[in-house]
Each structure stands twice: as C-alpha cells, then as structure tokens.
Amino acid sequence: MENFELEDAVKEVMDGILPKKSRKIYEAQYDTFVKWCCQRKLENVNEDVLLKSKTLSSSTLWAHYSMLKTMLNVKRNIDVSKFYKLSAFLKRKSEGYKPKKAKVLTLDQIDKFLLEAPDKGFLMIKVALIFGVAGACRGKELHA
C-alpha cells in the first residue's frame, strides 16, 4: 500500500516538471522520438543516438533538444545536459543563424496613419479594435 502512495507522489512531482500549457507538445515530441528509436531498433538512448539528427533549422533543433532533455529526464532518468558532443553540435549548427524578427510599427507611423486616413471616425474604431485585439491590450491601454 505504501509503495502505491510513493509512486503516486513521485508521479505528481514529475508531472509538475512539465509546463502545463505545452505538456502535449512535449509528450508528442517524446513519442515521435521513441517511435524513431523503435523503427531503428535502438534500445539505449545515448549521445550518439541523439546526434543522428534530421536536417532541421537551428531553432527547431534547440526546441527539440529542450523538450527531449526534459522528457528523457522525467521518463528515463537520463541527463542529456551532460552530453557535451551534442551541445557542441547544436552550438555549431546555430552559428550564423539570424532569427526572424516581426516588423513593428513606430508610434509616429501609427499617428500618421490615423491622422491621414479618409473617413477617420469609422476607420479609427476599426484600427483601435485591431490594435487592441492583436496587441492584447487592456481597456485602459486601448483608451490611452
């Protein structure tokens, strides 16, 4: 009886490690990795197995590494952060990588648009709603 209580307590703590919002993504990534290992008849997870990566972009590799690092630690008690060749590989893959940045309107551009727009009354309401929704503004911020 005590063994079941201990297992439940450990499961509860381990479940708290995974982020709630992205738990499904982490588990899907882990399941994909497990299926990939099964297809290649790889029983033990080691650094060499993880180095056999697909040709993915640097940011994708880092995201997969992060999720697998957490899941392998939780599910199999494997500390991937000690795989130094893998870390070096990921760092080398990200050399020269430039993340894409979204373009942002400046305050002057917004003012110019609102002031020069035809039919200002109706258009300003539409624009305010678009900025409010897209910018996730609170009512007070939207009014300001």
Side-chain angles (χ1 to χ4, degrees), residues 69-131:
K69 180 173 79 167
T70 301
M71 293 303 290
L72 288 170
N73 197 358
V74 169
K75 301 273 187 182
R76 297 189 186 187
N77 201 24
I78 298 172
D79 186 7
V80 176
S81 65
K82 298 211 185 325
F83 293 170
Y84 299 114
K85 286 190 286 186
L86 180 61
S87 295
F89 169 75
L90 289 169
K91 287 177 185 175
R92 194 170 47 254
K93 285 284 275 185
S94 61
E95 285 176 0
Y97 172 75
K98 292 184 180 152
K100 296 176 185 172
K101 296 275 184 176
K103 294 183 180 179
V104 179
L105 293 174
T106 65
L107 190 56
D108 291 337
Q109 289 171 326
I110 294 169
D111 283 342
K112 181 180 177 186
F113 175 75
L114 291 175
L115 293 173
E116 294 177 5
D119 191 15
K120 292 179 184 155
F122 184 66
L123 183 64
M124 286 184 71
I125 292 170
K126 279 181 160 179
V127 170
L129 288 173
I130 290 168
F131 278 103

Side-chain angles (χ1 to χ4, degrees), residues 31-93:
D31 290 342
T32 301
F33 176 72
V34 169
K35 287 176 187 170
W36 181 84
C37 287
C38 287
Q39 288 172 346
R40 285 157 181 75
K41 298 178 181 162
L42 302 169
E43 295 176 13
N44 296 324
V45 176
N46 58 32
E47 191 167 21
D48 293 333
V49 169
L50 292 172
L51 277 168
K52 295 176 182 174
S53 79
K54 304 172 230 163
T55 54
L56 299 171
S57 71
S58 170
S59 59
T60 305
L61 285 174
W62 277 106
H64 288 195
Y65 165 76
S66 177
M67 289 185 271
L68 280 176
K69 180 173 79 167
T70 301
M71 293 303 290
L72 288 170
N73 197 358
V74 169
K75 301 273 187 182
R76 297 189 186 187
N77 201 24
I78 298 172
D79 186 7
V80 176
S81 65
K82 298 211 185 325
F83 293 170
Y84 299 114
K85 286 190 286 186
L86 180 61
S87 295
F89 169 75
L90 289 169
K91 287 177 185 175
R92 194 170 47 254
K93 285 284 275 185

